[in-house]
Amino acid sequence: MAYSFKTIQRRQVEESLAPWSTISPHDQPSGGWVKTIRQALGMSAAQLGRRLGLSRQAAADLERREVSLSVTLATLQKAAAAMNADLVYAIVPRQGLDATIRAQARKKAEHTLGRAAHTMKLEAQGGSDSEYNAQLDDAEEQIMEERPRDLWDGEDTPATPK
């Protein structure tokens, strides 16, 4: 079976994300990584501040900003380097990429077929539930195959993690 470039690319991304899939956002220490690593190293906030060219108060503020998600990646990278560590950053889909795309294709199929089914029911031409589900499955597969440009249009998703 020949795979498209997008399919190969998606599978490579999925493979590189595999080690991250077991990590949960809830695994983050409540005080943030900077403070947790700094304390584990036996480093004071003043010492971290000096290594960053900041005051103790500015280093403590950096730790607070990390917890409140208002710190930049560049700042976190500098803090990590000051503690002889690396910043590792990833965006990890809650489901796999294929499952995320399939769920969106299903929503798109439901939206498209739902309108047609509603019109047919109004005209007393509605089919059975099993017929509708078969059509829905077919539409989902067609969307998965074609991957239309508007796949992600029309529906807003929550921006905050669950």
Side-chain angles (χ1 to χ4, degrees):
M1 172 180 216
Y3 294 109
S4 71
F5 173 76
K6 286 185 178 185
T7 299
I8 293 168
Q9 182 183 37
R10 187 177 64 257
R11 288 187 177 171
Q12 288 174 341
V13 170
E14 188 102 53
E15 191 175 307
S16 69
L17 289 172
W20 299 95
S21 65
T22 60
I23 298 173
S24 165
H26 305 291
D27 292 340
Q28 180 176 338
S30 61
W33 285 109
V34 174
K35 184 176 184 177
T36 299
I37 299 300
R38 175 183 61 74
Q39 289 175 335
L41 290 171
M43 185 185 293
S44 71
Q47 291 167 326
L48 176 60
R50 277 194 299 277
R51 293 172 73 97
L52 289 167
L54 303 171
S55 67
R56 184 206 62 77
Q57 185 58 40
D61 184 52
L62 180 158
E63 293 174 353
R64 280 191 296 279
R65 287 185 294 125
E66 178 194 3
V67 172
S68 69
L69 304 177
S70 62
V71 68
T72 66
L73 290 174
T75 299
L76 285 176
Q77 189 170 32
K78 289 175 188 172
M83 296 183 290
N84 196 29
D86 294 312
L87 173 67
V88 180
Y89 171 80
I91 295 176
V92 183
R94 292 180 188 124
Q95 309 167 328
L97 292 172
D98 283 333
T100 300
I101 294 167
R102 183 166 293 283
Q104 185 64 22
R106 186 69 172 198
K107 286 180 188 176
K108 197 76 156 172
E110 286 171 348
H111 179 72
T112 302
L113 287 179
R115 288 187 312 211
H118 178 70
T119 302
M120 291 181 76
K121 281 186 180 182
L122 289 175
E123 297 172 357
Q125 298 176 10
S128 69
D129 285 347
S130 62
E131 187 178 313
Y132 174 76
N133 287 333
Q135 289 174 346
L136 194 55
D137 291 343
D138 290 345
E140 177 187 326
E141 285 306 318
Q142 184 177 357
I143 291 168
M144 286 294 294
E145 218 172 274
E146 294 173 359
R147 212 58 65 74
R149 291 175 96 52
D150 68 345
L151 177 62
W152 296 98
D153 290 346
E155 276 193 48
D156 293 330
T157 55
T160 54
K162 294 181 180 178

